[in-house]
Amino acid sequence: MSDKLILNRRRLLGLGAASVSTLLLAGCDQFDDLVGQGDNSVRGYLEKANDLTYRVQRLLQGPNALAREYTEADIRQGMRPNGSTDPQGDDYLALKANNFADYKLKITGLVNKELSFSLADLKGMTSRTQITRHDCVEGWSCIAKWTGPQLGPILDQAGIKAEAKYCLYHCYDTMDGGLSGQVPYYETSDLLDAHHPQTILAYGMNGADLPIANGAPIRVRIERALGYKQPKYVHTIELVSGFANVGGGKGGYWEDNGYDWYAGI
Amino acid sequence: MASITEDTARAEKPATHKGPLIYRQSIFTRVTHWVWAICLFFLLLSGLNIFDAHPTLYIGQQSGFTNLQTGDQHLDNQWLDIGAINTDNGPRGQTTILGHSFDTTAIGLGVSGDPANPDFRGFPASVTIPSYYDLATARVIHFFFAWILVATLLVWLVASVFNRHIAGIPPTPRDLKHLPRDILNHLRLRFEHGRQYNVLQKLAYSAVFFILFPLIILTGITMSPGMDTTLPWLVELFGGRQTARSIHFLTMSAFVLFFIIHIIMVVLAGPFNELRQMITGRYRAGADVVFDPGKGDKP
């Protein structure tokens, strides 16, 4: 009886070892269909871990935990440009030709009063300067100094309606949208990040005007998140209750391409 | 004197499994062991895909880069880079470690796949999940299994404190005194099959549980800009986010080394007995182990 049992176990172990080695020999494309982009339930299940990360990190952070601020000595190089570095849309080129004198930042959507600010208006506001580390989702980091007014007080001035849950950042630059051709870059953040003390509308970088390659005239800094949550060339901030009907419905250009919405890790 | 005689006797005894079938691994140890095996498999292969997004490692807070407009590089702090260069014989994979460059085309680092249509990436398709480069998907997989790994480590930690499994892992001073003898026995492929781990096992498992697991988890968390706001001391502890990324990579390499030795030792020490131990918990001990039904032994 016990011999038979051992044989069965032995066979079971053998089968297990054989299937593991087949898997390894066949290469890792075994998993491609299960986890790849597009609709499939396995990937949807795995993505729940990102919701958990978002909830747990928000719980631990509280509303105002600050990203680390560095010193002037830590600025060792220029700010590395990535993604769009020179938008070619007609509207943007016209603004650029006039050195952004005609630029307007609009606050729209679920607000009591829609607002519009010129670059001079924004530069006239109380500003915050912070030297922070920019972390790209690819893995690299770069330290730079950013200057601009905080977004929170501007949103308060517009008066956020109760049903608003997110800020939707519309940008001038376009990205490859596959079959859709070029699509505008956009991002969303929760209102906690929008009101965070370090969330600023940066018009200055490393002591000069924000360069075109880094998002001129305005780049939103959301310092607790990765680089793709720092939209460049922003022209409109729309308060929305959800973003299912915007773009690919995932809350941002990179999110529509499979990246996690939270972007805090 | 008595202990020396006993040691000599033990060292000269051939490795046999003639003793009782002892109960050696609790259900918590066995289940978590296999969950970790699955987690580490997916974490490693998705991690190599993530690495391919930027196959360069640095020391410090940030990544020194060459300004494409001016060609200047003000900060040169990279120590590892896996890339490709053009040569008269076509593209070649090149890995640079601390300024020394090696042609790594043969092992698929830098350039891999079909020579007519090569993949220019750090690690090749055969060791990444997904096989093709897909940072977004690799991150989904990586963070899913990272959560499972951390959760099962906590389960194991609590269970192992209560069932005293963890007390058997760090080597005692007496174990360390036997270290030379134990190394000699391993070199002669004579393994002890006792109730306790031998000192080399204790050292290896201590390194995994008390150094590698904490390091890889903490350096992973350090790379999160969200967590840096909550635990800013982590960035200080590891000397910067890019150093943390480097340590994460080196710890991964140490895990791979551990895995290779682990598998070799399982094969040398008796794969059937070792696998039975990690599935049923029961282990055929050496002839010197005294049968004790009070500990769950079977003859």
Side-chain angles (χ1 to χ4, degrees):
Chain A
M1 189 63 200
S2 93
D3 277 347
K4 202 175 163 191
L5 199 69
I6 286 174
L7 266 177
N8 282 344
R9 273 189 201 146
R10 204 184 284 266
R11 209 167 58 187
L12 197 70
L13 294 179
L15 275 176
S19 52
V20 166
S21 50
T22 314
L23 200 63
L24 287 175
L25 284 174
C28 299
D29 51 357
Q30 299 284 317
F31 300 102
D32 289 355
D33 289 341
L34 281 177
V35 296
Q37 301 199 20
D39 289 329
N40 74 63
S41 54
V42 175
R43 189 195 171 96
Y45 188 77
L46 299 181
E47 280 176 348
K48 287 184 180 172
N50 289 331
D51 297 337
L52 180 64
T53 304
Y54 173 55
R55 283 163 208 272
V56 170
Q57 288 207 6
R58 278 287 186 262
L59 195 70
L60 294 172
Q61 283 165 344
N64 291 331
L66 294 183
R68 176 177 172 171
E69 296 193 13
Y70 293 82
T71 64
E72 295 277 350
D74 295 313
I75 305 173
R76 303 281 299 278
Q77 54 186 354
M79 177 63 202
R80 177 179 178 140
N82 202 32
S84 304
T85 51
D86 195 9
Q88 293 300 314
D90 290 341
D91 42 5
Y92 185 79
L93 290 175
L95 291 175
K96 181 178 152 185
N98 202 12
N99 206 18
F100 304 107
D102 306 318
Y103 168 83
K104 294 278 186 211
L105 175 79
K106 292 173 284 294
I107 312 289
T108 63
L110 299 170
V111 288
N112 295 327
K113 188 173 66 169
E114 298 206 338
L115 298 174
S116 174
F117 302 98
S118 70
L119 192 53
D121 292 338
L122 293 170
K123 285 184 173 178
M125 292 178 182
T126 309
S127 71
R128 189 177 201 284
T129 293
Q130 57 206 31
I131 300 172
T132 51
R133 196 189 66 226
H134 179 98
D135 297 329
C136 179
V137 67
E138 293 168 356
W140 54 266
S141 309
C142 198
I143 292 172
K145 180 163 77 173
W146 305 92
T147 302
Q150 290 175 317
L151 176 57
I154 294 175
L155 295 178
D156 292 342
Q157 200 184 325
I160 301 176
K161 289 187 176 168
E163 58 267 39
K165 288 203 167 59
Y166 304 97
C167 275
L168 167 58
Y169 307 95
H170 296 277
C171 306
Y172 279 116
D173 60 321
T174 59
M175 301 287 283
D176 177 18
L179 294 176
S180 320
Q182 290 286 304
V183 294
Y185 194 89
Y186 75 102
E187 256 302 339
T188 52
S189 75
D190 61 14
L191 295 182
L192 213 59
D193 260 345
H195 282 286
H196 186 263
Q198 286 171 320
T199 298
I200 60 172
L201 304 172
Y203 53 73
M205 191 193 84
N206 289 346
D209 279 347
L210 184 65
I212 302 274
N214 299 99
I218 291 293
R219 175 180 210 171
V220 180
R221 297 294 309 171
I222 299 175
E223 300 287 3
R224 297 189 292 188
L226 294 170
Y228 64 89
K229 269 284 182 234
Q230 329 282 333
K232 306 198 273 190
Y233 319 107
V234 173
H235 59 75
T236 304
I237 299 175
E238 183 184 353
L239 276 295
V240 294
S241 59
F243 43 73
N245 301 322
V246 184
K250 299 283 176 62
Y253 171 76
W254 287 112
E255 287 84 338
D256 291 338
N257 285 280
Y259 287 83
D260 51 301
W261 175 78
Y262 170 51
I265 185 164
Chain B
M1 278 312 276
S3 85
I4 291 173
T5 325
E6 186 193 298
D7 290 351
T8 318
R10 202 180 286 180
E12 283 166 4
K13 206 179 289 174
T16 52
H17 311 274
K18 294 275 172 60
L21 195 60
I22 60 173
Y23 186 70
R24 203 177 187 222
Q25 304 293 3
S26 80
I27 183 78
F28 289 104
T29 311
R30 285 177 275 145
V31 170
T32 52
H33 169 267
W34 293 111
V35 173
W36 297 334
I38 295 166
C39 285
L40 290 173
F41 172 80
F42 282 102
L43 282 164
L44 169 66
L45 276 69
S46 61
L48 295 180
N49 199 313
I50 293 171
F51 176 85
D52 276 358
H54 190 77
T56 312
L57 294 174
Y58 310 84
I59 300 294
Q61 291 289 352
Q62 55 183 322
S63 316
F65 71 98
T66 307
N67 188 316
L68 292 175
Q69 274 143 18
T70 63
D72 293 339
Q73 181 163 19
H74 297 288
L75 174 64
D76 182 6
N77 61 342
Q78 72 180 50
W79 66 271
L80 177 87
D81 178 69
I82 304 178
I85 50 161
N86 271 317
T87 70
D88 295 340
N89 302 320
R92 305 290 296 174
Q94 189 181 62
T95 300
T96 305
I97 303 172
L98 297 168
H100 302 279
S101 292
F102 306 91
D103 187 323
T104 47
T105 316
I107 52 170
L109 296 183
V111 176
S112 51
D114 178 9
N117 186 19
D119 282 338
F120 294 102
R121 50 191 292 203
F123 287 96
S126 52
V127 294
T128 65
I129 293 178
S131 62
Y132 50 87
Y133 167 65
D134 182 349
L135 174 60
T137 300
R139 281 166 51 83
V140 170
I141 298 166
H142 203 73
F143 298 142
F144 177 84
F145 285 102
W147 271 112
I148 307 277
L149 180 79
V150 169
T152 41
L153 270 170
L154 287 177
V155 168
W156 175 87
L157 188 66
V158 171
S160 297
V161 166
F162 278 99
N163 67 23
R164 302 198 38 79
H165 173 62
I166 202 166
I169 292 179
T172 61
R174 189 169 175 277
D175 287 329
L176 291 173
K177 239 171 22 191
H178 292 163
L179 183 60
R181 187 201 69 196
D182 201 45
I183 291 173
L184 200 66
N185 280 347
H186 272 78
L187 290 174
R188 294 147 116 189
L189 304 184
R190 286 179 179 173
F191 306 114
E192 286 175 31
H193 300 279
R195 286 187 198 279
Q196 302 286 321
Y197 294 136
N198 64 57
V199 58
L200 283 177
Q201 278 182 300
K202 287 184 176 184
L203 284 171
Y205 300 151
S206 295
V208 166
F209 286 112
F210 307 126
I211 300 173
L212 297 187
F213 271 133
L215 260 188
I216 209 150
I217 292 167
L218 291 177
T219 50
I221 289 172
T222 305
M223 281 187 275
S224 157
M227 285 310 292
D228 284 357
T229 66
T230 311
L231 306 170
W233 52 270
L234 272 179
V235 191
E236 300 299 328
L237 178 69
F238 292 117
R241 180 180 191 253
Q242 290 301 319
T243 311
R245 186 169 179 256
S246 293
I247 297 172
H248 199 70
F249 185 89
L250 290 172
T251 313
M252 172 279 291
S253 311
F255 264 111
V256 171
L257 187 68
F258 169 80
F259 173 75
I260 293 168
I261 296 171
H262 189 57
I263 297 300
I264 291 172
M265 294 313 294
V266 165
V267 169
L268 291 178
F272 178 71
N273 197 30
E274 299 293 332
L275 276 171
R276 170 172 56 195
Q277 166 185 212
M278 288 320 290
I279 293 171
T280 68
R282 291 192 187 279
Y283 183 69
R284 180 65 70 188
D288 51 336
V289 173
V290 180
F291 176 63
D292 183 356
K295 289 177 175 159
D297 294 356
K298 287 181 175 178

